Amino acid sequence: MEYGKFPAYRPRRMRDGELARQMIRETELSAKDFIYPLFVKPGQGRRDEIPSMPNVYQVSLDMLMPETRELLDCGIHYVLLFGLPASKDEVGSSAWDEHGVVQEAVRIIRANAPQMYVITDVCMCEYTSHGHCGKLDQDGYVMNDETLDLLAREAVSHAQAGANMVAPSDMMDGRIGHIRRALDQAGFSNVPIMSYSTKYASGFYGPFRDAADSAPAFGDRRAYQMDPANADEGVREAMYDIAEGADLVMVKPALPYLDVLERVKRETNFPTVAYNVSGEYSMVKAAAANGWVDERRVVLELLTSIKRAGADMIITYHAKDAARWLAEG
Ligand code: PBG
């Protein structure tokens, strides 16, 4: 080999053998990076697998602790709770019910597993009869400002139940500032906000809407979620939410938006979370079930790519499997 004026650096030398690769590895995935989404519902003895999401379950409150212990055993210390309420109405009033399913789930986990950090999803779509993320006007449009108070009530009720952190996913403008003020006024100035700041109107949420029973009854969410074509705007969305008081920002989905993730992290220099969403999960599971890809290999590769792009934390349905694989080494 001829090197000319360059030093004789041959990258291949450091790729031979796991211990050599380990010395120069730039991205290290760990169970500490994962947040696991949990779907909770009323009832007794229920642990129902979501058909489009193999090995992901909706669990009733009495089944929550075995699920929580399994996560802790894998080294996972963060959960994100989604509720399937007993009843729905036009404005989603069960979202701020003191004895709602999420509020009860928070109490159960906090009382029985203090080592678990409990984050709650704050949105109206699981609680409204029409499945939109807020209050509707006569034409079926979500009314931004009227929805803010409802979200704030929901967030405060989660904090009252003991949530460690709240995560608004609705995409109404101004909600972070509104929720921040409401939390502060209610005495929860220490409860941080993880904002779904940069959330795209995506086809990859399909399986989740089965899981959370939150598909819009008509129309779609394009009036409030972001256009997949926009990256500058994705960075701006994160900056607005930081200015309003967000403690962490998010890019969602993850894999089709790694460029946006990289920019949000670099340009805001702020803690950034990526949501590896339901459709991303289902695609991998379907291909793996058919023997078309090696599940362990592609999952670890995908999660590494998300972390390499800039994610400080990853919300992922693969968390349990990935944590076990990482522990095996
Ligand atoms: C809205 C919400 C959605 C997801 C999380 N929170 C769906 C939506 O906007 O329709 C999607 C998560 C996933 O697909 O895994 N409350």
Side-chain angles (χ1 to χ4, degrees), residues 202-326:
S202 169
F204 289 96
Y205 306 147
F208 171 92
R209 292 178 185 174
D210 292 340
D213 187 23
S214 65
F218 56 87
D220 56 40
R221 303 207 204 290
R222 272 182 262 208
Y224 39 103
Q225 298 182 349
M226 282 189 56
D227 183 344
N230 294 355
D232 289 341
E233 189 192 7
V235 178
R236 285 201 300 274
E237 282 277 13
M239 285 172 169
Y240 294 145
D241 287 4
I242 291 166
E244 287 179 32
D247 298 282
L248 299 101
V249 293
M250 190 193 300
V251 175
K252 172 184 173 188
L255 298 168
Y257 300 94
L258 289 183
D259 57 329
V260 181
L261 173 61
E262 200 264 340
R263 283 190 54 188
V264 166
K265 178 66 197 171
R266 186 159 42 80
E267 293 176 37
T268 68
N269 202 15
F270 221 68
T272 304
V273 180
Y275 198 142
N276 176 220
V277 303
S278 57
E280 300 176 75
Y281 176 82
S282 300
M283 288 196 306
V284 171
K285 294 301 271 190
N290 277 291
W292 296 336
V293 294
D294 173 344
E295 183 173 355
R296 174 183 169 139
R297 206 170 155 186
V298 299
V299 167
L300 293 178
E301 185 175 341
L302 293 174
L303 295 175
T304 300
S305 78
I306 295 169
K307 189 157 183 202
R308 192 191 61 231
D312 295 288
M313 297 292 292
I314 306 171
I315 304 169
T316 180
Y317 305 96
H318 294 293
K320 284 191 256 181
D321 289 332
R324 288 195 190 105
W325 291 325
L326 291 168

Side-chain angles (χ1 to χ4, degrees), residues 72 77-80 109-110 113-119 164-165 190-192:
L72 289 169
H77 284 265
Y78 304 93
V79 284
L80 175 59
I109 301 178
R110 297 281 285 131
Q115 333 79 293
M116 187 58 93
Y117 193 89
V118 182
I119 310 166
N164 295 101
M165 174 183 277
N190 288 332
V191 173

